């Protein structure tokens, strides 16, 4: 069973926001609603959820590797 919600934490201001992850695409960018910093995946991660979330993206959860 895949978890589709993840809490993203902004590394700049520490704001936390629960977001629903897309199941059909990677999310490469996320604008923090508090400080408006544009987040991008860290080197080696496929999406912002894998870098800043409490739950990795659905393809990683399913063991399929990086997002399609």
């Amino acid at each position: 069973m895949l978890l589709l919600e993840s809490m993203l934490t902004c590394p700049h201001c520490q704001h936390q926001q629960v977001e629903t992850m897309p199941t059909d695409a990677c999310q490469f960018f996320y604008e923090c609603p508090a400080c408006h910093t544009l987040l991008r995946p860290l080197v080696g991660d496929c999406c912002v959820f894998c870098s800043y979330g409490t739950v990795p993206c659905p393809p990683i959860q399913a063991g399929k590797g990086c997002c399609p």
Side-chain angles (χ1 to χ4, degrees):
M1 179 178 193
L2 298 177
L3 300 174
L4 298 180
E5 288 192 340
S6 182
M7 183 177 300
L8 291 171
T9 301
C10 177
H12 299 280
C13 73
Q14 304 307 309
H15 177 79
Q16 294 184 317
Q17 181 85 24
V18 174
E19 297 287 350
T20 301
M21 295 182 277
T23 58
D24 60 347
C26 280
Q27 186 163 337
F28 295 109
F29 303 104
Y30 178 78
E31 184 177 342
C32 174
C35 72
H36 303 288
T37 296
L38 186 63
L39 304 181
R40 296 181 178 129
L42 298 172
V43 174
D45 286 340
C46 62
C47 67
V48 293
F49 292 103
C50 289
S51 294
Y52 307 105
T54 54
V55 177
C57 67
I60 297 295
Q61 289 181 54
K64 295 180 182 177
C66 197
C67 299

